[in-house]
Amino acid sequence: MKMTFRWYGESDPVTLEKIRQIPGMTGIVSAVYSVPVGEVWGEEHIERIRKAANDAGLEFEVVESVPVHESIKLGDSDAPRLIENYCENIRRFGKAGVKVICYNFMPVFDWLRSELSRELADGSNALAYENAEVLALDPSVSELSLPGWDESYTKGQLMELLEKYKQIDSEKLWENLHAFLSKAVPAAAEAGVSLAIHPDDPPWGIFGLPRIICSEADIDRFLKLVDMPENGLTFCTGSLGVSPDNDIPKMAAKYAKMGRIHFAHLRNILITGERCFEESGHLSANGSLDMDAIVKALKFNGFKGYIRPDHGRMIWGETGKPGYGLFDRALGAAYINGLWEASKEG
């Protein structure tokens, strides 16, 4: 297992020097943020991240994220060109020593929350989701502004995109995912890279947009689309765990044993109602997930990939990118390392 930490580049207030000081930290998870979605990343940009990490005593072996262009998800006429661009990026990552690419196939937005700074009982602040609050919004008539929406879209562009998705149901999205994987996975295998899809967050449909990576059955179907070891998962306990139907320790054991978990996002969440949750401290006692059982399931079933502590609370007066402060994620990394070290079978 390799412990890693998300880093948002040179403008990130959480510096590489600070990340390096977290006990057990081996590397960063990062991306090139200046290249438009769908275009090829310059090798010099990838090398710049790698060198910065290495100079700080860290590795750069996981890219998160290389966004999949909406035209690929929609199956538009431009999809083949954009898929080839994606494959070229994969080849460039392989040359730079990257081992895993985390991506998602969620239409329009990736994650979504109704609050960025809910005050918890201990005085910390965390991301939260209230289903009724989200469903009360109508993106076709209101100025929709929710955490997770891509703010690069104008109102008109967003409406045009939502209109296109009216023609895309779950089965069509599965078909377009298969078309993407049929090219991207062989390219990854040739480049020595593994692809790791991130589950839908939250794992249910919103505003009529399809979600297809939400459950164990969905993941089983996904892995069979292109049944190669390079076609794997970013196993996100928080995204999958907000659905009580998902048995997270069981799923962790199953997919780790198959060798299909290449990357794991470990965080806890507290389910507060039907399709409602808030993000908590990483400890099992803080939320609805048994983090000890999850770590054991990974370790005892042969997981040897990358882990990062996922979203953290804002604590001790820290301010910054919601979910991505230093302090609580550092505590999470130390906690996960402790669970891993202490885990023994029997």
Side-chain angles (χ1 to χ4, degrees):
M1 181 272 285
K2 285 190 172 185
M3 181 62 67
T4 61
F5 210 78
R6 185 76 182 264
W7 182 61
Y8 281 95
E10 295 169 0
S11 64
D12 194 331
V14 181
T15 64
L16 293 172
E17 289 72 23
K18 292 173 182 176
I19 294 170
R20 181 67 181 88
Q21 294 171 31
I22 301 169
M25 193 57 59
T26 69
I28 59 159
V29 176
S30 194
V32 175
Y33 300 103
S34 59
V35 178
V37 174
E39 299 306 314
V40 176
W41 294 10
E43 292 180 337
E44 68 279 10
H45 297 308
I46 302 168
E47 173 59 21
R48 184 169 180 169
I49 299 173
R50 188 199 65 77
K51 185 177 186 306
N54 290 173
D55 287 350
L58 297 162
E59 298 170 335
F60 174 46
E61 296 184 346
V62 182
V63 168
E64 181 184 349
S65 158
V66 190
V68 177
H69 197 282
E70 296 299 329
S71 290
I72 295 175
K73 301 172 195 173
L74 288 162
D76 286 347
S77 59
D78 205 25
R81 179 186 70 83
L82 292 164
I83 292 173
E84 177 48 39
N85 283 355
Y86 205 100
C87 292
E88 177 57 26
N89 278 328
I90 292 171
R91 290 187 281 268
R92 293 185 178 200
F93 299 146
K95 284 168 49 178
V98 169
K99 305 300 182 187
V100 174
I101 299 168
C102 173
Y103 71 101
N104 72 70
F105 216 76
M106 292 179 255
V108 183
F109 55 88
D110 47 15
W111 60 275
L112 190 147
R113 300 290 184 270
S114 58
E115 298 176 64
L116 287 176
S117 189
R118 173 178 289 182
E119 185 169 342
L120 305 184
D122 62 3
S124 63
N125 299 97
L127 305 174
Y129 179 95
E130 292 292 329
N131 199 50
E133 187 175 332
V134 173
L135 295 184
L137 294 170
D138 183 348
S140 67
V141 298
S142 65
E143 287 296 331
L144 187 66
S145 181
L146 279 172
W149 282 96
D150 187 339
E151 295 181 359
S152 66
Y153 295 126
T154 66
K155 179 72 172 178
Q157 289 171 331
L158 177 59
M159 292 304 99
E160 182 181 354
L161 195 54
L162 292 173
E163 188 64 29
K164 285 184 177 181
Y165 270 106
K166 289 181 180 179
Q167 312 303 316
I168 304 295
D169 60 9
S170 294
E171 287 306 311
K172 184 61 177 176
L173 192 61
W174 275 111
E175 181 182 323
N176 295 339
L177 175 56
H178 187 201
F180 168 71
L181 292 173
S182 66
K183 299 292 186 181
V185 177
E190 185 176 340
V193 175
S194 293
L195 297 180
I197 197 168
H198 191 288
D200 298 339
D201 183 8
W204 49 73
I206 300 171
F207 303 129
L209 295 167
R211 299 277 205 170
I212 59 174
I213 309 295
C214 302
S215 66
E216 184 175 355
D218 292 340
I219 293 173
D220 288 344
R221 178 176 179 178
F222 164 78
L223 294 176
K224 292 175 183 174
L225 290 178
V226 178
D227 196 1
M228 296 171 60
E230 292 80 11
N231 182 34
L233 308 173
T234 294
F235 191 78
C236 181
T237 60
S239 299
L240 292 167
V242 298
S243 171
D245 295 334
N246 288 329
D247 184 332
I248 304 304
K250 174 193 169 190
M251 293 167 70
K254 175 180 177 177
Y255 299 120
K257 191 171 185 178
M258 293 170 63
R260 302 297 276 273
I261 299 178
H262 302 311
F263 188 27
H265 289 179
L266 299 190
R267 61 180 167 91
N268 207 346
I269 50 85
L270 179 66
I271 296 174
T272 56
E274 185 175 356
R275 293 192 172 183
C276 298
F277 61 90
E278 59 190 26
E279 301 192 358
S280 66
H282 284 73
L283 276 70
S284 297
N286 292 152
S288 301
L289 304 181
D290 187 338
M291 301 301 290
D292 181 48
I294 293 167
V295 169
K296 283 185 169 75
L298 291 170
K299 184 174 183 179
F300 299 160
N301 286 280
F303 175 75
K304 292 180 171 43
Y306 301 86
I307 286 176
R308 74 166 175 85
D310 206 4
H311 304 164
R313 303 163 298 147
M314 285 298 179
I315 63 173
W316 303 336
E318 185 178 20
T319 59
K321 185 178 178 64
Y324 287 96
L326 169 64
F327 302 148
D328 201 39
R329 286 189 297 153
L331 291 177
Y335 174 62
I336 294 163
N337 269 327
L339 290 178
W340 188 275
E341 182 175 315
S343 293
K344 293 179 172 56
E345 296 193 67

